[in-house]
């Protein structure tokens, strides 16, 4: 040891050199005068046909030399469900330099916590990846990706709501996983969650999709191992979990199945196998869960006494896999257990015990980037960091876990599968499509919602006095004429006219009106089932007779004349839900 007590250069742990600056909320490199320069982990060891690029650190980038740090390699994982993984060998952005010492506005403790908070396994990945920006090149090399085959929106946007599809497979891959899952499984969609994050980032919904839900799997264009394209024929009335792995289907097929089922097109997907649960829980030092009774499940190898336990690694995997020991012993009971686990993982990530520990954050970034396979639109640390910062704006009390409402399959004598509960499932899908929170959000949002709802309150003009021009702004062709005929012939709105196509398409149907037309607007909203958010106070336009009229623009959400466009404002009765900030005990 030298005078600084540091030891040799190659004995230095890089995590020990990074210190949290309380003024900025960022990690900074702090070295003593005679301390050796810590290295940045290098990319994986190249194959024999590749040239090995020299490892570089932030110090080297500035022209100062230091000993190189040995690289790390990652074995390839065979399997049909996920084609050979494409590796990223170079960062999409330059390594950031050391921060200057100019004064910075001090962030609140709560704000700093939120900036690093994500949501479940995938949220842990992106939050950890964002924190670990100081060795981007190494982490980029950890990332594995497969094509989205055109099934996504093209990737999340910072100014829009975000929909991420999280897929857990039952594939037996990795060390120590031989005793888990189906020995012959090609990697089905065993656990699937559609994470919806609101446009304003004030709330989110994690919607679990039962693996045994009967669905129609559509035709799936997929990228094969040799790079060629192949369309895998769809199948009707099969288990949801066969949307991945079966017949060579890739995650993009699961994405298409979810779109057809819910009407929500995911922006990105992330796929994890058994190892993800083990490595991520170990990286954060375990998560705390609660069980309301003694649990002993020989199939999942879970054995816990009643009470609170901190679990990680193999025990954490056993916890999320057990089903015979909880509830009715089926997959729906296991979903509840998994939701409780993910909530606990979020709370642990949010804790200062994780956020202020550089070594733990490094472990988290390392484990996270190795644990998941992402789609081709989300294949770099830069993109993951941006997603992590968006997810980090969430408050756990406004992240709701729920499950698609289902009932036992009436076609079966021995109940093994489930089907949609048609009385409640459509409302749940509508809420996600229309960015409606399952939880109460801030008081400001409540006041805004009340103001919007107030647009529907007041007197309504007779239908014969409603004067409106109808535009097609994204609905199917002929919708404007269909609506005109319906309003005139069935609802008595005779002062209406078809004004053709709108200048630009709209996602949602809107009704613009002048202040003195509010009573007409309320009547038309009542007839068409428009919500307060669809009503846009503004200006009137002149119709073909030279008289002032309202403007009704039919958006992509329009489903036909007479079909209500009212957006649900709360979850239907009987839908189970929980929020990530609360500790619940499994029973």
């Amino acid at each position: 040891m030298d005078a600084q007590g540091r030891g040799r250069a190659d004995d230095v742990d890089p995590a020990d050199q990074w210190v949290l600056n309380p003024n900025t909320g960022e990690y900074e490199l702090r070295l003593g005068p005679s301390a050796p320069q810590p290295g940045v982990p290098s990319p994986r060891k190249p194959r024999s046909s590749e040239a090995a690029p020299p490892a570089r650190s932030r110090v080297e980038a500035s022209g100062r030399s230091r000993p190189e740090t040995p690289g790390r390699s990652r074995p390839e994982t065979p399997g049909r469900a996920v084609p050979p993984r494409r590796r990223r060998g170079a960062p999409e952005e330059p390594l950031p330099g050391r921060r200057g010492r100019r004064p910075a506005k001090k962030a609140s403790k709560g704000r700093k916590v939120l900036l690093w908070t994500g949501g479940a396994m995938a949220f842990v990945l992106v939050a950890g990846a964002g924190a670990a920006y100081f060795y981007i090149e190494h982490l980029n090399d950890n990332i594995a990706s497969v094509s989205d085959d055109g099934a996504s929106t093209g990737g999340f946007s910072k100014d829009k709501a975000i929909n991420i599809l999280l897929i857990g497979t039952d594939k037996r891959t990795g060390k120590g996983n031989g005793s888990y899952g189906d020995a012959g499984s090609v990697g089905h969609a065993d656990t699937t969650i559609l994470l919806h994050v609101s446009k304003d980032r004030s709330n989110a919904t994690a919607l679990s999709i039962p693996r045994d839900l009967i669905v129609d799997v559509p035709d799936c264009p997929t990228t094969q191992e040799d790079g060629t394209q192949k369309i895998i024929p769809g199948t009707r009335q099969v288990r949801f979990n066969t949307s991945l792995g079966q017949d060579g289907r890739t995650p993009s097929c699961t994405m298409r199945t979810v779109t057809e089922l819910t009407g929500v097109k995911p922006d990105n997907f992330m796929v994890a196998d058994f190892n993800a649960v083990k490595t991520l829980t170990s990286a954060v030092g375990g998560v705390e869960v609660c069980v309301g009774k003694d649990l002993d499940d020989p199939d999942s190898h879970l054995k816990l006494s009643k009470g609170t336990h901190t679990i990680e690694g193999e025990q954490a995997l056993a916890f999320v896999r057990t089903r015979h020991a909880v509830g009715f012993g089926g997959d729906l009971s296991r979903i509840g257990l998994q939701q409780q686990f993910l909530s606990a993982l979020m709370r642990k990530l949010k804790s200062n015990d994780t956020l202020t520990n550089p070594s733990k954050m490094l472990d988290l970034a390392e484990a996270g980037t190795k644990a998941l396979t992402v789609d081709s639109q989300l294949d770099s640390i830069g993109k993951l960091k941006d997603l992590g910062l968006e997810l980090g704006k969430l408050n756990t009390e406004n992240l709701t876990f729920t499950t698609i409402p289902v009932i036992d399959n009436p076609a079966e004598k021995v109940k093994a599968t489930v089907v949609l509960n048609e009385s409640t499932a459509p409302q749940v899908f509508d809420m996600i499509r229309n960015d409606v929170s399952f939880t109460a959000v801030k008081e400001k949002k409540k006041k805004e919602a009340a103001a919007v709802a107030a647009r529907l309150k007041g007197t309504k003009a007779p239908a014969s006095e409603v004067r409106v021009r109808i535009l097609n702004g994204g609905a199917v062709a002929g919708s404007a004429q269909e609506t005109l005929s319906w309003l005139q012939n069935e609802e008595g709105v005779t002062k209406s006219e078809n004004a053709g196509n709108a200048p630009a398409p709209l996602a949602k149907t809107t009704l613009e009106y002048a202040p003195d037309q509010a009573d007409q607007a309320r009547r038309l909203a009542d007839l068409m089932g428009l919500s307060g958010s669809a009503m846009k106070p503004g200006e009137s336009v002149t119709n073909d007779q030279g008289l002032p009229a309202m403007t009704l623009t039919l958006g992509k959400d329009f489903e036909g004349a007479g079909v209500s466009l009212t957006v649900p404002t709360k979850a239907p009765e009987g839908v189970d839900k929980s929020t990530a900030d609360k500790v619940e005990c499994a029973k």
Side-chain angles (χ1 to χ4, degrees), residues 120-397:
M121 285 185 291
F123 319 157
V124 174
L125 162 69
V126 292
Y133 64 86
F134 47 86
Y135 65 140
I136 293 174
E137 186 173 354
H138 171 69
L139 294 182
N140 260 328
D141 190 61
N142 282 347
I143 299 171
S145 69
V146 294
S147 176
D148 70 344
D149 296 313
S152 75
T153 63
F156 77 94
S157 299
K158 295 181 180 180
D159 58 346
K160 297 180 180 178
I162 297 174
N163 294 292
I164 306 294
L165 190 63
L166 311 175
I167 306 170
T169 75
D170 60 355
K171 191 176 182 64
R172 284 187 177 186
T173 57
K175 182 180 179 180
N177 292 329
S179 60
Y180 297 123
D182 180 358
S185 176
V186 291
H188 294 118
D190 207 40
T191 300
T192 306
I193 295 176
L194 176 62
L195 172 68
H196 171 82
V197 184
S198 67
K199 180 178 179 180
D200 63 5
R201 309 298 185 251
S202 67
N203 65 89
T205 302
L207 181 68
S208 292
I209 304 175
R211 68 173 190 178
D212 296 324
L213 174 63
I214 298 299
V215 298
D216 292 337
V217 178
D219 293 345
C220 297
T222 59
T223 302
Q224 300 299 295
E225 294 183 3
D226 59 1
T228 60
Q229 295 292 315
K230 176 183 178 182
I231 297 179
I232 301 175
T235 52
R236 293 179 56 81
Q237 297 297 288
V238 293
R239 279 181 167 88
F240 174 83
N241 68 343
T242 61
S243 64
L244 176 65
Q246 198 80 11
D247 301 322
R249 294 187 178 112
T250 64
S252 65
C253 294
T254 305
M255 185 177 274
R256 294 183 194 277
T257 304
V258 169
T259 300
E260 187 157 304
L261 173 68
T262 66
V264 179
K265 191 171 188 177
D267 300 306
N268 300 98
F269 65 70
M270 296 180 177
V271 184
D273 60 16
F274 292 143
N275 283 323
V277 176
K278 295 192 290 186
T279 58
L280 289 173
T281 52
S282 296
V284 297
V287 298
E288 188 176 275
V289 297
C290 178
V291 293
K293 63 179 182 181
D294 293 343
L295 300 182
D296 188 357
D297 185 352
D299 289 337
S300 69
H301 313 297
L302 177 68
K303 190 170 185 177
L304 289 176
S305 60
K306 178 180 179 179
T308 301
H309 301 268
T310 298
I311 59 174
E312 65 176 279
E314 296 286 349
Q315 194 174 36
L317 178 58
F319 186 84
V320 299
R321 290 194 64 253
T322 192
R323 59 188 173 110
H324 299 304
V326 293
F328 295 103
D331 185 54
L332 295 179
S333 298
R334 175 163 56 186
I335 285 175
L337 207 64
Q338 292 168 347
Q339 291 173 348
Q340 181 204 143
F341 169 80
L342 296 177
S343 296
L345 191 56
M346 274 201 66
R347 291 193 297 272
K348 184 58 179 284
L349 176 66
K350 175 182 175 180
S351 70
N352 283 338
D353 177 55
T354 299
L355 295 172
T356 61
N357 186 324
S359 180
K360 189 172 290 187
M361 291 301 289
L362 279 169
D363 289 343
L364 186 60
E366 193 74 32
T369 51
K370 286 182 177 180
L372 306 183
T373 296
V374 300
D375 68 86
S376 49
Q377 308 294 336
L378 197 63
D379 60 354
S380 74
I381 285 299
K383 295 175 183 177
L384 288 169
K385 179 194 70 175
D386 288 343
L387 177 58
L389 292 176
E390 293 302 307
L391 298 177
K393 297 173 183 177
L394 289 171
N395 189 320
T396 54
E397 69 181 10

